[in-house]
Amino acid sequence: MMFVPPRNCTSRGRLVADSLTGAWRHSPPAPELSAEELELVTPLLISAGAAAVAWWKLRQSNLRTSAAAIKLQQEYKLSTLEAAVHEKDIEQVFTLLRAEGVEPILIKGWAIARLYPTPGLRHYSDIDLCVHPDKIPLAESILSRPENNKYFVDLIHDEVDRYYITPWDELFAHSQLVRLGEIDVRVVGAEDHLRLLCIHLLKHGVSSARWLCDIGLAVENRPADFDWQRCLGERRQADWVACAIGLAHQLLGASVKNTPVADRAMRLPKWLIPQVLKRWESTDARYLTPYKYHAPMQNYLRRPVVALKALRHRWPDPIEATIWLRGSFDELPRLPFQLGVCFSRIAKFIANLPVAGRGPLA
């Protein structure tokens, strides 16, 4: 049975879910929100980068002329313009790298945005690329040139190696070329991409509802020859993927029909969905901006009040902590995982203190 949170419990988080249920489809289901509820949740949708896809769901409803819907429509128009700019940037970055013998694979961003019904629905800002490990220094050198500073490129490798367990040669062999403007762009294969999207979502504590829309879209639009065995990988990783898909199913109505994860998608630990809804409804800056920069803790050693606040912002989310320690999503308490991550960070901090002492604090 699908989880249905009470209307008086984590109400804003529930409204975020209601606003985005099936929103990635060509014909989304009609929204079940009132104008007042839409007004309440709109700031959260905008902060989550989900305004455009929320507008897509509302565009043919009786809410489309409401003040909140008009705000979402404006965000959609802006996102559409930004998407055109990003696509040109991707073309240019691929051309630059290929000219010097670097063949990148595009991950997330446009690689998933291209599957949405129309450009602009999936907001993204940077270009996530993976290149052969031997080519990383060259790629970094190319992208660091002054004339290339205008491109927001993230070369992701540690994350792929640590969490997705996919050797480069295998990742490349299953990638595919798709047309973008005047060139063919190499994107990650469907199976690897869904696994990556799921684990990336959990790694960041399901902080963005937009990412859960990506998973619903990827599952429902998977190719006919989709290889579930490849997607799921080893046992622990397979359960992470199944839980992420389960969240997309139970919160956003993603279909899990004819998938090997359908049973697991219906049996999520009791703490997981309330935790996600709590995070979605939060006005805490660390939740609204999951990539918010944190200065090194060494900077706060002489400012104890500020240090305490910094520590609070670094308290690990239970979902993040589970992934960090490669745990299972079961009914056991998450506090041991959160404490484990804290101890790990403290040990790293202490190990770096001699270096820090020769820095700005000396």
Side-chain angles (χ1 to χ4, degrees):
M1 181 178 295
M2 184 175 295
F3 178 87
V4 181
R7 297 187 69 83
N8 62 350
C9 176
T10 58
S11 58
R12 286 177 300 182
R14 179 189 57 79
L15 291 176
V16 170
D18 289 350
S19 302
L20 298 175
T21 297
W24 58 84
R25 298 171 184 152
H26 284 272
S27 299
E32 298 181 359
L33 289 78
S34 67
E36 293 76 16
E37 288 175 326
L38 180 61
E39 184 69 34
L40 177 64
V41 78
T42 290
L44 292 177
L45 292 169
I46 293 173
S47 298
V53 72
W55 160 251
W56 180 256
K57 180 179 173 71
L58 294 168
R59 74 192 192 286
Q60 294 182 339
S61 74
N62 57 6
L63 293 174
R64 65 183 180 277
T65 57
S66 67
I70 291 172
K71 291 179 185 177
L72 297 175
Q73 184 184 31
Q74 291 171 342
E75 292 291 327
Y76 163 66
K77 290 178 179 178
L78 177 61
S79 181
T80 300
L81 293 174
E82 290 177 342
V85 174
H86 294 327
E87 289 179 8
K88 286 296 182 183
D89 287 347
I90 293 170
E91 286 187 69
Q92 292 167 8
V93 167
F94 265 75
T95 301
L96 285 169
L97 293 174
R98 283 171 171 167
E100 301 199 37
V102 179
E103 178 67 10
I105 301 175
L106 183 66
I107 293 174
K108 300 181 291 186
W110 183 81
I112 188 66
R114 67 190 179 90
L115 301 180
Y116 279 81
T118 186
L121 292 187
R122 206 293 191 175
H123 173 78
Y124 62 97
S125 56
D126 55 2
I127 303 171
D128 293 313
L129 298 178
C130 193
V131 303
H132 192 285
D134 294 342
K135 297 287 187 177
I136 295 175
L138 176 57
E140 291 176 337
S141 174
I142 296 169
L143 295 170
S144 65
R145 294 169 187 167
E147 65 272 22
N148 297 333
N149 287 340
K150 60 184 177 180
Y151 303 118
F152 297 96
V153 178
D154 186 8
L155 293 174
I156 54 175
H157 291 282
D158 292 342
E159 189 175 77
V160 171
D161 293 341
R162 175 175 170 80
Y163 295 105
Y164 310 137
I165 318 176
T166 304
W168 163 262
D169 291 342
E170 192 174 337
L171 192 72
F172 188 87
H174 288 83
S175 64
Q176 61 181 123
L177 292 170
V178 296
R179 197 69 179 175
L180 174 59
E182 301 298 319
I183 69 168
D184 288 330
V185 170
R186 187 172 297 280
V187 299
V188 67
E191 294 86 357
D192 293 326
H193 206 191
L194 178 55
R195 180 173 68 256
L196 184 153
L197 291 171
C198 289
I199 300 177
H200 179 266
L201 173 91
L202 298 173
K203 175 178 176 283
H204 290 285
V206 198
S207 56
S208 176
R210 177 182 79 238
W211 296 340
L212 204 57
C213 287
D214 292 345
I215 292 174
L217 173 72
V219 171
E220 291 188 357
N221 290 272
R222 65 189 185 276
D225 60 349
F226 189 85
D227 185 348
W228 277 105
Q229 184 174 355
R230 174 172 178 78
C231 172
L232 295 175
E234 51 89 19
R235 182 183 60 82
R236 180 61 51 81
Q237 196 179 62
D239 194 58
W240 291 350
V241 172
C243 285
I245 294 174
L247 286 172
H249 171 63
Q250 295 203 37
L251 286 174
L252 303 186
S255 174
V256 292
K257 185 178 180 180
N258 298 324
T259 72
V261 300
D263 288 343
R264 178 54 163 152
M266 301 300 295
R267 296 183 294 101
L268 300 179
K270 293 182 177 64
W271 59 268
L272 184 55
I273 288 178
Q275 171 61 32
V276 172
L277 293 176
K278 178 181 177 182
R279 186 153 192 176
W280 285 0
E281 74 169 2
S282 176
T283 56
D284 190 319
R286 64 175 172 154
Y287 289 165
L288 293 178
T289 52
Y291 292 118
K292 184 176 177 63
Y293 170 74
H294 293 303
M297 278 301 297
Q298 291 92 330
N299 293 11
Y300 304 124
L301 289 180
R302 294 179 180 174
R303 303 162 64 192
V305 175
V306 180
L308 288 174
K309 183 178 180 180
L311 285 172
R312 181 177 68 85
H313 282 178
R314 285 166 171 76
W315 177 249
D317 174 274
I319 302 173
E320 294 174 285
T322 301
I323 295 294
W324 180 266
L325 294 181
R326 295 184 173 276
S328 299
F329 284 91
D330 52 33
E331 297 294 352
L332 293 176
R334 296 297 100 178
L335 182 59
F337 290 95
Q338 293 169 286
L339 290 173
V341 172
C342 284
F343 291 146
S344 174
R345 291 175 178 173
I346 290 171
K348 183 177 180 181
F349 172 73
I350 293 174
N352 290 333
L353 275 179
V355 176
R358 295 193 293 270
L361 294 175

